Amino acid sequence: MLQQPTRLTLVEQVARQIEAMIESGDWAVGTRIPAEPELMTQLQVSRNTLREAIRALIHAGLLKTRQGDGTYVSSSSAL
């Protein structure tokens, strides 16, 4: 049976790119990820899109925020 192609939202695309950076080892566990302005420039997305993607990865357990300090990698995979 044929499956319908799935279209990813921009937030999902950004989240997958960040997740790929973590899983590939570019950002190791305990590493602070780049600041929002830098990520916004690299990914060419708005602040809201980036924040939603980061929130999704926090919920998945990949990232953890420390208020006033930044966002850190807390796990190497969502599993």
Side-chain angles (χ1 to χ4, degrees):
M1 182 180 239
L2 296 175
Q3 294 181 335
Q4 279 187 312
T6 57
R7 296 182 187 199
L8 297 177
T9 66
L10 191 54
V11 171
E12 291 169 330
Q13 291 175 38
V14 170
R16 285 191 179 187
Q17 286 183 42
I18 294 172
E19 187 175 357
M21 293 287 289
I22 294 168
E23 289 179 349
S24 70
D26 291 338
W27 294 342
V29 174
T31 303
R32 182 175 168 209
I33 68 169
E36 280 182 357
E38 187 178 336
L39 285 174
M40 287 167 38
T41 303
Q42 288 177 2
L43 298 169
Q44 294 294 303
V45 295
S46 71
R47 186 175 189 181
N48 287 337
T49 300
L50 180 61
R51 284 184 167 192
E52 281 187 53
I54 288 174
R55 237 181 269 126
L57 294 172
I58 289 169
H59 184 71
L62 285 172
L63 298 175
K64 186 174 188 173
T65 57
R66 296 183 194 160
Q67 189 171 359
D69 192 25
T71 303
Y72 291 82
V73 178
S74 62
S75 176
S76 60
S77 72
L79 303 176

